[in-house]
Amino acid sequence: MKITIFGSGYVGLVTGACFAEVGNDVLCVDIDQHKIDRLKEGIIPIHEPGLEELVVENSREGRLRFTSDIREGVDFGLFQFIAVGTPPDEDGSADLRHVLSVAESIGTHMQEYRIVINKSTVPVGTADLVREKVRSVLAGRGTEIDFDVVSNPEFLKEGDAINDFMKPERIVVGVDDPRTKELLRFLYSPFNRSHERFIAMDIRSAELTKYAANAMLATKISFMNEIANISERVGADVEAVRRGIGSDSRIGFSFIYPGVGYGGSCFPKDVQALERTAHKHGYHSRILQAVEAVNHDQKGSIVRKIREHFDGELKDCVFAIWGLAFKPNTDDMREAPSRRVIGELLEAGARVRVFDPVAMQEARRIWGDHEGMYYARTPEDAVKGSNALVVLTEWLVFRSPDFDMIRRDLANPVVFDGRNIYSPEFMQQLGFVYYSIGRPPVLGNG
């Protein structure tokens, strides 16, 4: 199969590398010439475990190529994947300019039958807009060429995207033509061997499925954070509550871990976009608005605890920050809780010493040479001379640190744990003042 993928960001690059890995010929197209040049050199613009190896190997074997030539991309593949960004517009709705720009390019250069596949996360009805854009461009050229438009949303978890693509739980395809459905089924057959994962449906349902999935997961997170906040006020332990409800098979343990809120490129954007879509069609989505509101407040929960502990006097305090990415195994800091926490601490006159295993370059891009920022070389370096340690991302390297070092190097033995990765009983035995989410604080071994 010959496949063209427009957009060489997170989704496009993973999709292209995985399709090439099973033997397809893939051409990735991007208008950013600098990015294309670096990809040709094997330099990956994002951190995703296993992705660099796939890109380098398949590029060497000739199955994966990169270009900025749009005409070449349209001429190349029967399957034309659109995997460009859909950033939130000013009102929170998805900005479709890049998607429709690709559709226009396909209509401009198309010479024979093509299957146009929306891989980007897009609102319900986008396939209709893409179809109309291609059709209008073809009409402007005075030509008629058959084409189909398909919705094929991605369900990739950052940090585990390769495994998600190669061993998917489901392959959702929105299609309105039986022939096109079978072509997509054949394209995805290498990933659909052990049991049937291919789920065909109408196009609008496929478009909604992606938003509904992310909104459901975001809802579980916000709900658990709501329970955590109630737990703190009634003297309960949210971790015990989590185990109690998670053991119910109807609920399960996935996405019911309390913390400092969700972030990343998907959940915040998709919840907002779905809420705006509902509003556009005359429906007031109270649950989605509540999910957003709880998450916004939760990102400020750690700073509120810090202010309380230090009696509101944060000026000239120094805080060690462990974890900047919105989750482990990625360098993505979009909408990360760390950005809100660090921003509020700096605004209050505090200084921060930050460390993340892979997101330091992104942090430098965001804050640059801010006088209140110190970019630590190691977790231990971040702790030295700080008034307290603040944990914001549950990286494995933070789970079993040298607590004797932490207690020795901190000016005060105070830890604010935004991910509940430590045991309150253990921290009490070590003599720490310890604050977490949804659990009673530990005020030292005394």
Side-chain angles (χ1 to χ4, degrees):
M1 290 289 189
K2 289 187 175 181
I3 301 168
T4 296
I5 299 178
F6 289 95
S8 295
Y10 183 82
V11 174
L13 202 52
V14 171
T15 300
C18 290
F19 271 132
E21 177 70 8
V22 297
N24 296 291
D25 291 325
V26 180
L27 181 63
C28 291
V29 183
D30 202 287
I31 60 174
D32 185 338
Q33 186 62 52
H34 178 66
K35 180 188 291 185
I36 291 297
D37 292 340
R38 289 172 65 85
L39 286 168
K40 287 180 177 179
E41 296 171 3
I43 301 173
I44 310 302
I46 57 176
H47 177 84
E48 179 62 40
L51 180 58
E52 182 176 352
E53 293 83 354
L54 281 188
V55 170
V56 170
E57 173 65 21
N58 284 283
S59 296
R60 183 169 56 242
E61 296 294 329
R63 293 188 297 269
L64 180 62
R65 297 188 296 113
F66 302 95
T67 185
S68 57
D69 188 331
I70 295 174
R71 178 189 291 273
E72 181 185 5
V74 178
D75 288 342
F76 182 78
L78 166 65
F79 299 98
Q80 303 270 307
F81 279 87
I82 301 177
V84 295
T86 53
D89 216 333
E90 291 183 3
D91 64 351
S93 59
D95 185 344
L96 298 177
R97 284 178 297 174
H98 302 309
V99 171
L100 296 179
S101 176
V102 173
E104 182 176 4
S105 296
I106 293 172
T108 299
H109 300 293
M110 187 169 62
Q111 300 298 322
E112 57 184 329
Y113 175 72
R114 289 291 181 259
I115 300 174
V116 182
I117 305 168
N118 274 332
K119 199 71 174 172
S120 302
T121 301
V122 293
V124 176
T126 300
D128 295 336
L129 299 177
V130 168
R131 181 182 289 106
E132 182 55 37
K133 175 63 73 173
V134 175
R135 186 178 289 144
S136 66
V137 174
L138 289 174
R141 290 170 54 191
T143 185
E144 289 187 12
I145 301 174
D146 191 22
F147 70 96
D148 282 300
V149 177
V150 173
S151 173
N152 175 217
E154 53 85 14
F155 298 96
L156 306 176
K157 298 188 296 292
E158 291 193 45
D160 199 28
I162 302 300
N163 185 62
D164 283 344
F165 198 101
M166 300 298 286
K167 300 176 181 178
E169 292 182 333
R170 76 281 210 197
I171 302 165
V172 173
V173 173
V175 60
D176 56 10
D177 182 89
R179 177 188 62 170
T180 308
K181 181 178 74 173
E182 293 310 312
L183 285 170
L184 266 294
R185 187 189 299 276
F186 184 76
L187 176 65
Y188 276 104
S189 59
F191 314 100
N192 193 36
R193 295 291 188 190
S194 60
H195 66 272
E196 185 59 55
R197 299 180 175 92
F198 191 88
I199 305 173
M201 60 184 71
D202 65 275
I203 293 175
R204 288 186 169 238
S205 295
E207 290 173 330
L208 183 57
T209 295
K210 168 64 176 182
Y211 278 121
N214 279 353
M216 172 61 80
L217 298 176
T219 299
K220 293 183 72 174
I221 294 171
S222 281
F223 176 81
M224 207 62 209
N225 283 331
E226 191 91 306
I227 296 300
N229 293 330
I230 295 171
S231 296
E232 290 181 4
R233 287 155 177 78
V234 301
D237 182 341
V238 74
E239 292 298 324
V241 176
R242 179 184 63 80
R243 292 191 297 271
I245 66 174
S247 59
D248 186 329
S249 61
R250 297 170 299 176
I251 298 173
F253 287 99
S254 296
F255 288 85
I256 61 167
Y257 290 84
V260 284
Y262 59 76
S265 63
C266 294
F267 287 6
K269 173 176 69 72
D270 293 353
V271 170
Q272 289 180 23
L274 182 55
E275 193 275 325
R276 299 305 183 272
T277 296
H279 180 75
K280 178 181 176 181
H281 288 81
Y283 182 73
H284 177 60
S285 179
R286 291 160 292 181
I287 289 180
L288 294 178
Q289 288 186 335
V291 169
E292 285 188 78
V294 170
N295 191 62
H296 179 270
D297 290 348
Q298 198 66 17
K299 288 182 178 180
S301 60
I302 279 289
V303 176
R304 288 193 291 272
K305 294 176 190 290
I306 293 172
R307 289 183 185 277
E308 283 185 24
H309 178 84
F310 289 95
D311 295 324
E313 299 295 328
L314 301 186
K315 185 174 174 56
D316 295 327
C317 286
V318 181
F319 295 96
I321 306 291
W322 280 5
L324 302 172
F326 84 95
K327 62 181 283 189
N329 298 320
T330 181
D331 60 352
D332 193 343
M333 290 182 60
R334 287 173 289 184
E335 300 286 341
S338 64
R339 299 182 68 159
R340 168 89 172 271
V341 172
I342 291 171
E344 291 189 10
L345 291 176
L346 293 175
E347 188 176 344
R351 289 173 288 138
V352 294
R353 299 171 65 90
V354 302
F355 176 79
D356 188 282
V358 302
M360 297 300 284
Q361 183 175 346
E362 179 67 5
R364 290 180 186 275
R365 186 191 69 79
I366 295 169
W367 286 291
D369 297 326
H370 192 291
E371 61 181 0
M373 296 286 295
Y374 172 79
Y375 301 99
R377 298 179 301 276
T378 64
E380 294 78 13
D381 184 29
V383 168
K384 289 179 181 176
S386 296
N387 294 99
L389 168 63
V390 184
V391 181
L392 298 178
T393 312
E394 63 275 31
W395 285 95
L396 286 176
V397 71
F398 301 149
R399 290 184 178 271
S400 297
D402 183 344
F403 287 105
D404 289 335
M405 175 278 299
I406 295 173
R407 191 171 61 245
R408 181 183 66 246
D409 288 351
L410 282 176
N412 308 289
V414 183
V415 175
F416 297 89
D417 181 359
R419 296 298 178 182
N420 287 4
I421 61 176
Y422 305 131
S423 159
E425 293 77 18
F426 183 65
M427 298 300 280
Q428 184 174 35
Q429 291 174 11
L430 294 177
F432 282 96
V433 174
Y434 175 71
Y435 298 90
S436 55
I437 305 296
R439 301 185 292 187
V442 169
L443 303 179
N445 56 15

